[in-house]
Amino acid sequence: MIGYYAHHHGSGHVTRAASIAAELEEPMTVLSSRPRSSEHAHLDWLPLPLDVDSTMGDRASDLDPTASGVLHWAPIGVRGLTERMAMLAEWVARTHPRLVVVDVSVEVALFVRLLGIPVVVVAMPGDRTDEQHQLVYRIATAIIAPWSNNVYDPASLHAFSTKTTYVGSISRFAGRPRTPNTTTEPNVFVLGGAGGTSLTKKDIDEAAELNSEFTWTAAGLDARTWIDDVWPHLCAASVVITHAGQNALADVASAAVPAVVVPQDRPYGEQDATADALAGAGVAVVAPSWPSPDRWRALLAEAVRLGSEGWHRVEASGAAYRAARLLSETAAV
């Protein structure tokens, strides 16, 4: 038995867990505060309470949430936090997992390791040189970096190179046959995400109005534009415009289409670091922020010229299998 703690923010952590579970030869239980969707109904699941309290309001800073700077989030007196840790301890004592993957939480990784269970930490892009991230990397039995180190080699992992495996970008669509493209007209597909976006329909409409040589379609800006299966849209796109979240980029890589990457503001500069690495490796065109409508013509033309050949460098093919193999090998030690 392997456990996989998946952070509740956005859908990417759970999606990555499901991709890896499909490649494992032993049972895996997802441990998460994110509600289980119908798409993941087949997964064994331990629902955890959120580690927040609706009555906290502006009191969070008074509850010493960082434990004097040692942790990221462990506020005093929050029932949800106490209950989730008690549930994790009970689950570990009952199931005796061979290891637990933590994607991502410094607190959960430390807690599980203190219960005597090997921990495999999923690394995140950006500046993770803070004491908390460095601590969790130190206590980890192994580290999964879900990208290619040919594209991105962050300094925060250099001290842990002997236990870090760069498995490549993990996509739910890896190995899925391309959807036949019946679209002959140039088109742009804008990919939002469950983790939140600053884009609005107005942004898309203004860009489309001045660049009408392309048909523009957007998904994931809000509940109204959400599309469960974006694969056909990715395969049919002349150019994809995407944020720099790891799962979105892995999906674009699997579809192998030209792209313009516009990073969203995230903690630790996560998406900025990822976008910079893609630009430096010649994988995709990058705009630091959403451009004015009159800038899109040049950016789209640049993306078409660059093409999609660079996406093979992120090593999406076989990434979930490589992660699963690492877990099996680590658990067997």
Side-chain angles (χ1 to χ4, degrees):
M1 166 68 73
I2 287 176
Y4 196 113
Y5 174 82
H7 199 281
H8 64 274
H9 183 72
S11 60
H13 304 285
V14 169
T15 299
R16 183 154 52 211
S19 296
I20 295 173
E23 300 290 345
L24 279 172
E25 296 181 355
E26 65 181 287
M28 188 180 87
T29 298
V30 175
L31 320 165
S32 184
S33 298
R34 185 172 179 82
R36 177 166 46 174
S37 67
S38 58
E39 179 184 3
H40 300 131
H42 64 287
L43 294 173
D44 188 34
W45 199 283
L46 178 68
L48 298 172
L50 287 169
D51 51 0
V52 295
D53 189 324
S54 59
T55 65
M56 288 173 62
D58 296 329
R59 296 187 304 117
S61 60
D62 298 329
L63 305 181
D64 191 18
T66 68
S68 300
V70 176
L71 303 172
H72 285 149
W73 185 254
I76 291 172
V78 173
R79 178 171 295 181
L81 176 62
T82 303
E83 290 177 351
R84 68 167 15 218
M85 292 307 191
M87 289 177 67
L88 284 169
E90 190 279 330
W91 178 82
V92 166
R94 175 168 46 85
T95 65
H96 302 286
R98 297 206 297 158
L99 62 79
V100 172
V101 184
V102 179
D103 181 9
V104 290
S105 167
V106 169
E107 294 73 30
V108 170
L110 291 172
F111 185 69
V112 170
R113 182 62 187 84
L114 285 169
L115 292 173
I117 304 300
V119 170
V120 175
V121 170
V122 178
M124 296 288 282
D127 182 5
R128 309 286 172 165
T129 56
D130 58 285
E131 291 183 12
Q132 296 92 332
H133 279 105
Q134 293 293 292
L135 172 61
V136 81
Y137 292 160
R138 286 202 302 274
I139 64 97
T141 300
I143 300 170
I144 291 175
W147 57 78
S148 164
N149 67 336
N150 292 321
V151 172
Y152 182 48
D153 185 22
S156 58
L157 290 176
H158 287 177
F160 312 100
S161 59
T162 58
K163 60 178 174 180
T164 300
T165 301
Y166 295 84
V167 299
S169 296
I170 299 172
S171 170
R172 55 186 163 156
F173 299 132
R176 179 171 171 177
R178 290 184 65 84
T179 302
N181 187 3
T182 59
T183 304
T184 58
E185 299 298 321
N187 69 95
V188 170
F189 183 55
V190 183
L191 187 61
T197 178
S198 60
L199 286 181
T200 65
K201 185 176 181 299
K202 183 173 180 288
D203 293 323
I204 310 302
D205 289 345
E206 289 177 349
E209 185 177 357
L210 277 188
N211 300 275
S212 58
E213 66 271 27
F214 290 90
T215 300
W216 290 62
T217 304
L221 304 184
D222 51 34
R224 292 175 300 173
T225 60
W226 186 260
I227 298 175
D228 286 332
D229 186 8
V230 298
W231 181 246
H233 297 273
L234 291 174
C235 293
S238 305
V239 179
V240 172
I241 300 170
T242 178
H243 56 89
Q246 293 179 78
N247 282 262
L249 293 172
D251 292 347
V252 176
S254 291
V257 290
V260 178
V261 178
V262 185
Q264 296 282 300
D265 185 25
R266 291 292 185 271
Y268 305 99
E270 173 188 328
Q271 293 203 10
D272 291 315
T274 303
D276 288 346
L278 292 173
V283 174
V285 174
V286 170
S289 59
W290 187 260
S292 60
D294 60 340
R295 282 276 297 129
W296 275 112
R297 180 168 281 105
L299 287 168
L300 295 173
E302 185 181 352
V304 171
R305 283 195 302 271
L306 181 62
S308 58
E309 290 300 315
W311 282 116
H312 78 277
R313 298 194 64 191
V314 309
E315 300 177 7
S317 179
Y321 169 76
R322 289 189 289 274
R325 184 178 62 186
L326 171 67
L327 298 185
S328 297
E329 292 172 351
T330 303
V333 174

